[in-house]
mmCIF file of all heavy atoms in Angstrom:
data_model
loop_
_atom_site.group_PDB
_atom_site.id
_atom_site.type_symbol
_atom_site.label_atom_id
_atom_site.label_comp_id
_atom_site.label_asym_id
_atom_site.label_seq_id
_atom_site.Cartn_x
_atom_site.Cartn_y
_atom_site.Cartn_z
ATOM 1 N N PRO X 366 36.047 60.724 55.434
ATOM 2 C CA PRO X 366 37.214 61.288 56.119
ATOM 3 C C PRO X 366 38.453 61.433 55.252
ATOM 4 O O PRO X 366 39.318 62.257 55.560
ATOM 5 C CB PRO X 366 37.452 60.313 57.270
ATOM 6 C CG PRO X 366 36.709 59.071 56.907
ATOM 7 C CD PRO X 366 35.539 59.517 56.103
ATOM 8 N N LEU X 367 38.557 60.643 54.176
ATOM 9 C CA LEU X 367 39.725 60.738 53.299
ATOM 10 C C LEU X 367 39.490 61.632 52.084
ATOM 11 O O LEU X 367 40.388 61.778 51.249
ATOM 12 C CB LEU X 367 40.152 59.344 52.834
ATOM 13 C CG LEU X 367 40.655 58.410 53.940
ATOM 14 C CD1 LEU X 367 40.961 57.035 53.375
ATOM 15 C CD2 LEU X 367 41.876 58.995 54.635
ATOM 16 N N ASP X 368 38.325 62.251 51.995
ATOM 17 C CA ASP X 368 38.029 63.146 50.878
ATOM 18 C C ASP X 368 38.447 64.565 51.270
ATOM 19 O O ASP X 368 37.628 65.413 51.635
ATOM 20 C CB ASP X 368 36.543 63.088 50.519
ATOM 21 C CG ASP X 368 36.241 63.753 49.179
ATOM 22 O OD1 ASP X 368 37.078 64.551 48.712
ATOM 23 O OD2 ASP X 368 35.167 63.484 48.608
ATOM 24 N N TYR X 369 39.738 64.821 51.190
ATOM 25 C CA TYR X 369 40.263 66.118 51.609
ATOM 26 C C TYR X 369 39.786 67.241 50.703
ATOM 27 O O TYR X 369 39.604 68.374 51.148
ATOM 28 C CB TYR X 369 41.801 66.067 51.644
ATOM 29 C CG TYR X 369 42.346 64.933 52.480
ATOM 30 C CD1 TYR X 369 43.167 63.953 51.925
ATOM 31 C CD2 TYR X 369 42.024 64.823 53.827
ATOM 32 C CE1 TYR X 369 43.659 62.897 52.693
ATOM 33 C CE2 TYR X 369 42.511 63.781 54.603
ATOM 34 C CZ TYR X 369 43.318 62.826 54.027
ATOM 35 O OH TYR X 369 43.790 61.789 54.786
ATOM 36 N N GLU X 370 39.574 66.947 49.434
ATOM 37 C CA GLU X 370 39.084 67.967 48.515
ATOM 38 C C GLU X 370 37.678 68.422 48.922
ATOM 39 O O GLU X 370 37.378 69.617 48.894
ATOM 40 C CB GLU X 370 39.080 67.439 47.085
ATOM 41 C CG GLU X 370 38.664 68.475 46.049
ATOM 42 C CD GLU X 370 38.725 67.934 44.633
ATOM 43 O OE1 GLU X 370 38.287 66.788 44.409
ATOM 44 O OE2 GLU X 370 39.212 68.650 43.748
ATOM 45 N N LEU X 371 36.824 67.474 49.305
ATOM 46 C CA LEU X 371 35.488 67.848 49.766
ATOM 47 C C LEU X 371 35.586 68.752 50.987
ATOM 48 O O LEU X 371 34.898 69.791 51.070
ATOM 49 C CB LEU X 371 34.675 66.594 50.100
ATOM 50 C CG LEU X 371 33.230 66.790 50.565
ATOM 51 C CD1 LEU X 371 32.371 65.580 50.193
ATOM 52 C CD2 LEU X 371 33.134 67.032 52.076
ATOM 53 N N GLN X 372 36.428 68.381 51.946
ATOM 54 C CA GLN X 372 36.564 69.188 53.161
ATOM 55 C C GLN X 372 37.068 70.587 52.835
ATOM 56 O O GLN X 372 36.589 71.585 53.383
ATOM 57 C CB GLN X 372 37.504 68.487 54.147
ATOM 58 C CG GLN X 372 37.599 69.151 55.510
ATOM 59 C CD GLN X 372 36.307 69.079 56.301
ATOM 60 O OE1 GLN X 372 35.579 68.085 56.243
ATOM 61 N NE2 GLN X 372 36.010 70.134 57.036
ATOM 62 N N ALA X 373 38.027 70.681 51.917
ATOM 63 C CA ALA X 373 38.571 71.986 51.537
ATOM 64 C C ALA X 373 37.526 72.832 50.826
ATOM 65 O O ALA X 373 37.418 74.047 51.068
ATOM 66 C CB ALA X 373 39.805 71.802 50.656
ATOM 67 N N GLU X 374 36.751 72.215 49.947
ATOM 68 C CA GLU X 374 35.701 72.954 49.243
ATOM 69 C C GLU X 374 34.609 73.399 50.214
ATOM 70 O O GLU X 374 34.070 74.511 50.093
ATOM 71 C CB GLU X 374 35.107 72.082 48.144
ATOM 72 C CG GLU X 374 33.961 72.728 47.371
ATOM 73 C CD GLU X 374 34.367 73.964 46.591
ATOM 74 O OE1 GLU X 374 35.569 74.110 46.263
ATOM 75 O OE2 GLU X 374 33.480 74.787 46.302
ATOM 76 N N LEU X 375 34.293 72.571 51.165
ATOM 77 C CA LEU X 375 33.260 72.907 52.136
ATOM 78 C C LEU X 375 33.620 74.166 52.923
ATOM 79 O O LEU X 375 32.745 74.972 53.268
ATOM 80 C CB LEU X 375 33.047 71.728 53.090
ATOM 81 C CG LEU X 375 31.880 71.821 54.063
ATOM 82 C CD1 LEU X 375 30.552 71.974 53.331
ATOM 83 C CD2 LEU X 375 31.866 70.588 54.973
ATOM 84 N N ALA X 376 34.908 74.345 53.191
ATOM 85 C CA ALA X 376 35.355 75.535 53.915
ATOM 86 C C ALA X 376 35.054 76.821 53.159
ATOM 87 O O ALA X 376 34.980 77.897 53.763
ATOM 88 C CB ALA X 376 36.848 75.431 54.209
ATOM 89 N N GLN X 377 34.865 76.725 51.842
ATOM 90 C CA GLN X 377 34.527 77.899 51.047
ATOM 91 C C GLN X 377 33.046 78.273 51.209
ATOM 92 O O GLN X 377 32.637 79.365 50.815
ATOM 93 C CB GLN X 377 34.835 77.655 49.563
ATOM 94 C CG GLN X 377 36.273 77.249 49.282
ATOM 95 C CD GLN X 377 37.276 78.251 49.809
ATOM 96 O OE1 GLN X 377 37.142 79.452 49.582
ATOM 97 N NE2 GLN X 377 38.264 77.742 50.545
ATOM 98 N N HIS X 378 32.264 77.368 51.768
ATOM 99 C CA HIS X 378 30.824 77.579 51.900
ATOM 100 C C HIS X 378 30.375 77.705 53.357
ATOM 101 O O HIS X 378 29.208 78.010 53.607
ATOM 102 C CB HIS X 378 30.065 76.426 51.247
ATOM 103 C CG HIS X 378 30.347 76.266 49.793
ATOM 104 N ND1 HIS X 378 29.652 76.936 48.800
ATOM 105 C CD2 HIS X 378 31.285 75.510 49.149
ATOM 106 C CE1 HIS X 378 30.136 76.603 47.622
ATOM 107 N NE2 HIS X 378 31.125 75.731 47.801
ATOM 108 N N TYR X 379 31.289 77.445 54.276
ATOM 109 C CA TYR X 379 30.921 77.468 55.696
ATOM 110 C C TYR X 379 32.061 78.115 56.459
ATOM 111 O O TYR X 379 33.138 77.517 56.605
ATOM 112 C CB TYR X 379 30.666 76.042 56.199
ATOM 113 C CG TYR X 379 30.020 75.976 57.569
ATOM 114 C CD1 TYR X 379 28.665 76.232 57.737
ATOM 115 C CD2 TYR X 379 30.768 75.636 58.692
ATOM 116 C CE1 TYR X 379 28.062 76.163 58.991
ATOM 117 C CE2 TYR X 379 30.187 75.545 59.947
ATOM 118 C CZ TYR X 379 28.828 75.819 60.097
ATOM 119 O OH TYR X 379 28.235 75.742 61.337
ATOM 120 N N ASP X 380 31.842 79.324 56.937
ATOM 121 C CA ASP X 380 32.936 80.058 57.575
ATOM 122 C C ASP X 380 32.976 79.881 59.081
ATOM 123 O O ASP X 380 33.823 80.461 59.758
ATOM 124 C CB ASP X 380 32.868 81.542 57.219
ATOM 125 C CG ASP X 380 31.590 82.226 57.710
ATOM 126 O OD1 ASP X 380 30.753 81.551 58.357
ATOM 127 O OD2 ASP X 380 31.426 83.439 57.450
ATOM 128 N N LYS X 381 32.066 79.065 59.611
ATOM 129 C CA LYS X 381 32.048 78.800 61.045
ATOM 130 C C LYS X 381 32.845 77.531 61.347
ATOM 131 O O LYS X 381 33.287 76.837 60.439
ATOM 132 C CB LYS X 381 30.598 78.699 61.520
ATOM 133 C CG LYS X 381 29.839 80.016 61.343
ATOM 134 C CD LYS X 381 28.383 79.913 61.768
ATOM 135 C CE LYS X 381 27.690 81.257 61.587
ATOM 136 N NZ LYS X 381 26.255 81.210 61.984
ATOM 137 N N PRO X 382 33.038 77.191 62.614
ATOM 138 C CA PRO X 382 33.916 76.072 62.953
ATOM 139 C C PRO X 382 33.436 74.725 62.419
ATOM 140 O O PRO X 382 32.246 74.402 62.462
ATOM 141 C CB PRO X 382 33.914 76.075 64.485
ATOM 142 C CG PRO X 382 33.624 77.491 64.859
ATOM 143 C CD PRO X 382 32.661 77.972 63.824
ATOM 144 N N MET X 383 34.375 73.960 61.914
ATOM 145 C CA MET X 383 34.145 72.580 61.508
ATOM 146 C C MET X 383 35.081 71.671 62.297
ATOM 147 O O MET X 383 36.070 72.130 62.877
ATOM 148 C CB MET X 383 34.376 72.414 60.005
ATOM 149 C CG MET X 383 33.334 73.135 59.163
ATOM 150 S SD MET X 383 33.421 72.712 57.403
ATOM 151 C CE MET X 383 34.918 73.577 56.936
ATOM 152 N N ALA X 384 34.760 70.374 62.304
ATOM 153 C CA ALA X 384 35.576 69.395 63.021
ATOM 154 C C ALA X 384 35.636 68.113 62.206
ATOM 155 O O ALA X 384 34.668 67.738 61.550
ATOM 156 C CB ALA X 384 34.991 69.104 64.403
ATOM 157 N N THR X 385 36.770 67.443 62.261
ATOM 158 C CA THR X 385 36.924 66.137 61.615
ATOM 159 C C THR X 385 38.207 65.486 62.111
ATOM 160 O O THR X 385 38.982 66.103 62.846
ATOM 161 C CB THR X 385 36.931 66.266 60.076
ATOM 162 O OG1 THR X 385 36.753 64.972 59.493
ATOM 163 C CG2 THR X 385 38.214 66.884 59.570
ATOM 164 N N GLY X 386 38.424 64.232 61.717
ATOM 165 C CA GLY X 386 39.675 63.556 62.036
ATOM 166 C C GLY X 386 39.548 62.269 62.814
ATOM 167 O O GLY X 386 40.523 61.527 62.932
ATOM 168 N N GLU X 387 38.354 61.952 63.340
ATOM 169 C CA GLU X 387 38.246 60.763 64.185
ATOM 170 C C GLU X 387 38.485 59.479 63.422
ATOM 171 O O GLU X 387 38.821 58.452 64.021
ATOM 172 C CB GLU X 387 36.881 60.709 64.855
ATOM 173 C CG GLU X 387 35.728 60.401 63.914
ATOM 174 C CD GLU X 387 34.390 60.323 64.634
ATOM 175 O OE1 GLU X 387 33.948 61.350 65.159
ATOM 176 O OE2 GLU X 387 33.802 59.231 64.659
ATOM 177 N N ASN X 388 38.314 59.496 62.094
ATOM 178 C CA ASN X 388 38.519 58.297 61.290
ATOM 179 C C ASN X 388 39.792 58.371 60.451
ATOM 180 O O ASN X 388 39.904 57.702 59.423
ATOM 181 C CB ASN X 388 37.298 58.053 60.410
ATOM 182 C CG ASN X 388 36.111 57.584 61.219
ATOM 183 O OD1 ASN X 388 36.183 56.562 61.897
ATOM 184 N ND2 ASN X 388 35.025 58.335 61.193
ATOM 185 N N LEU X 389 40.745 59.144 60.907
ATOM 186 C CA LEU X 389 42.097 59.147 60.343
ATOM 187 C C LEU X 389 42.996 58.435 61.322
ATOM 188 O O LEU X 389 43.033 58.776 62.500
ATOM 189 C CB LEU X 389 42.569 60.580 60.094
ATOM 190 C CG LEU X 389 41.697 61.398 59.139
ATOM 191 C CD1 LEU X 389 42.267 62.796 58.972
ATOM 192 C CD2 LEU X 389 41.559 60.713 57.787
ATOM 193 N N PHE X 390 43.746 57.439 60.848
ATOM 194 C CA PHE X 390 44.357 56.469 61.740
ATOM 195 C C PHE X 390 45.874 56.485 61.754
ATOM 196 O O PHE X 390 46.502 55.507 62.163
ATOM 197 C CB PHE X 390 43.847 55.068 61.395
ATOM 198 C CG PHE X 390 42.364 54.907 61.607
ATOM 199 C CD1 PHE X 390 41.665 53.944 60.907
ATOM 200 C CD2 PHE X 390 41.678 55.717 62.498
ATOM 201 C CE1 PHE X 390 40.299 53.786 61.107
ATOM 202 C CE2 PHE X 390 40.318 55.579 62.709
ATOM 203 C CZ PHE X 390 39.624 54.600 62.006
ATOM 204 N N SER X 391 46.483 57.587 61.319
ATOM 205 C CA SER X 391 47.941 57.671 61.361
ATOM 206 C C SER X 391 48.357 59.133 61.300
ATOM 207 O O SER X 391 47.561 60.003 60.926
ATOM 208 C CB SER X 391 48.568 56.928 60.173
ATOM 209 O OG SER X 391 48.255 57.594 58.952
ATOM 210 N N MET X 392 49.614 59.382 61.657
ATOM 211 C CA MET X 392 50.151 60.726 61.504
ATOM 212 C C MET X 392 50.120 61.154 60.051
ATOM 213 O O MET X 392 49.816 62.315 59.728
ATOM 214 C CB MET X 392 51.582 60.784 62.051
ATOM 215 C CG MET X 392 52.239 62.170 61.974
ATOM 216 S SD MET X 392 52.932 62.603 60.350
ATOM 217 C CE MET X 392 54.348 61.524 60.301
ATOM 218 N N GLN X 393 50.395 60.227 59.130
ATOM 219 C CA GLN X 393 50.437 60.569 57.711
ATOM 220 C C GLN X 393 49.061 61.002 57.201
ATOM 221 O O GLN X 393 48.945 61.973 56.441
ATOM 222 C CB GLN X 393 50.951 59.382 56.897
ATOM 223 C CG GLN X 393 52.416 59.057 57.135
ATOM 224 C CD GLN X 393 52.644 58.148 58.326
ATOM 225 O OE1 GLN X 393 51.710 57.814 59.056
ATOM 226 N NE2 GLN X 393 53.897 57.741 58.531
ATOM 227 N N ASP X 394 48.005 60.293 57.614
ATOM 228 C CA ASP X 394 46.663 60.705 57.230
ATOM 229 C C ASP X 394 46.317 62.062 57.822
ATOM 230 O O ASP X 394 45.708 62.908 57.164
ATOM 231 C CB ASP X 394 45.641 59.668 57.700
ATOM 232 C CG ASP X 394 45.623 58.414 56.843
ATOM 233 O OD1 ASP X 394 46.183 58.447 55.732
ATOM 234 O OD2 ASP X 394 45.052 57.399 57.285
ATOM 235 N N ALA X 395 46.684 62.272 59.077
ATOM 236 C CA ALA X 395 46.432 63.562 59.712
ATOM 237 C C ALA X 395 47.180 64.675 58.981
ATOM 238 O O ALA X 395 46.646 65.783 58.777
ATOM 239 C CB ALA X 395 46.853 63.507 61.179
ATOM 240 N N ARG X 396 48.387 64.391 58.568
ATOM 241 C CA ARG X 396 49.162 65.396 57.832
ATOM 242 C C ARG X 396 48.512 65.737 56.501
ATOM 243 O O ARG X 396 48.491 66.911 56.088
ATOM 244 C CB ARG X 396 50.595 64.889 57.626
ATOM 245 C CG ARG X 396 51.523 65.908 56.957
ATOM 246 C CD ARG X 396 52.949 65.386 56.937
ATOM 247 N NE ARG X 396 53.053 64.129 56.210
ATOM 248 C CZ ARG X 396 54.107 63.309 56.306
ATOM 249 N NH1 ARG X 396 55.113 63.607 57.110
ATOM 250 N NH2 ARG X 396 54.126 62.181 55.610
ATOM 251 N N ASN X 397 47.967 64.736 55.826
ATOM 252 C CA ASN X 397 47.275 65.020 54.566
ATOM 253 C C ASN X 397 46.047 65.887 54.789
ATOM 254 O O ASN X 397 45.732 66.759 53.960
ATOM 255 C CB ASN X 397 46.889 63.709 53.874
ATOM 256 C CG ASN X 397 48.056 63.073 53.155
ATOM 257 O OD1 ASN X 397 49.009 63.745 52.773
ATOM 258 N ND2 ASN X 397 47.983 61.769 52.955
#
Side-chain angles (χ1 to χ4, degrees):
L367 295 176
D368 193 341
Y369 306 120
E370 184 178 43
L371 182 152
Q372 187 67 36
E374 178 64 23
L375 188 59
Q377 304 304 312
H378 300 272
Y379 191 77
D380 62 1
K381 296 178 179 180
M383 292 190 287
T385 194
E387 71 179 65
N388 288 302
L389 301 180
F390 297 156
S391 67
M392 181 279 288
Q393 292 86 355
D394 284 345
R396 184 174 60 196
N397 281 336

